[in-house]
Amino acid sequence: MSTSTFGFHVAIIMDGNGRWAKARGRPRRFGHAAGARAVRRVVEAAPAYGITTLTLYAFSSDNWRRPRSEVDHLMRLFTRHLRSERDRLVAHGVRLSIIGRRDRISDLLRQGIEDVERHTAEGTSLHLRIALDYSARQALLEAALSLAATTKTNDIGDPRAGFEAALSRAMHADAAPDVDLLIRTGGEQRLSDFLLWESAYAELLFMNVMWPDFGNEHLASAVQAFASRERRFGRVSPPPTEAKGRLRTARAIP
Ligand code: IPE
Ligand code: IPE
Ligand code: MG
């Protein structure tokens, strides 16, 4: 990839809300509300750790399979929080983007998304991306289909290099650097269809903390664990520009 994008991209699969609530004898929605407060903590703490892009998995395309009452509750929570957090995000210089499908959510939520995206468009301290009705496979499929529909083979030059760049653009993967650190809370060790393309060289970190308990100290220990990893990108040792613990993305390295 030739795009030279500097930054530190952390992605989080925010898992464990339901179990957190169950352990307290409370309904699952109690866990989701506590999870929303954890989102606010992490967003506000992120820039201090050098994080420039933060992608949070809020609702997967497979989460529609949950009981209607839980899905409805989550959609209302997203709608309410987008509205209540808008001015705070602007004040913190956060640019918010929502990734995922927008054709299956309510008009109210879609309008809320457009409103926050518009108001936060100038933010420069952090690019916050929330994945909502998101499926990495679906995103790849859509990108391939849109390319197939719009690109003639001879438009893309060298078929392999050209196609990779064009596919990357079609996925809007050029809008954010590749993932450097992928965290999953809740103890499960799987990707659940999250950022499969962008995480090709991500460092993976599975944490036993339930998402509602996630705070500054967990983010600190995650970043510390990342800094101690040796990223080789296929070489026998890290590239010269990748000094140990330096926060650089795979794409930035020639
Ligand atoms: C993650 O927590 C939040 C969403 C998927 C919306 P879960 O709701 O999956 O919590 P657990 O995994 O059941 O504990
Ligand atoms: C992944 O969590 C999706 C989000 C955190 C939004 P799930 O709880 O839905 O994942 P699985 O079903 O355990 O793989
Ligand atoms: Mg879960």
Side-chain angles (χ1 to χ4, degrees), residues 47-64:
Y49 294 99
I51 298 169
T52 49
T53 305
L54 178 66
T55 306
L56 303 176
Y57 207 2
F59 191 87
S60 76
S61 293
D62 287 323
N63 287 147
W64 293 111

Side-chain angles (χ1 to χ4, degrees), residues 3 16 79-80 97-99 114 117 131 142 146 173 206 214 242:
T3 326
T79 308
R80 218 173 38 239
S97 310
I98 303 292
I99 59 170
E114 288 164 6
E117 286 183 335
E142 291 295 330
S146 84
F206 300 101
F214 196 91
E242 182 77 4

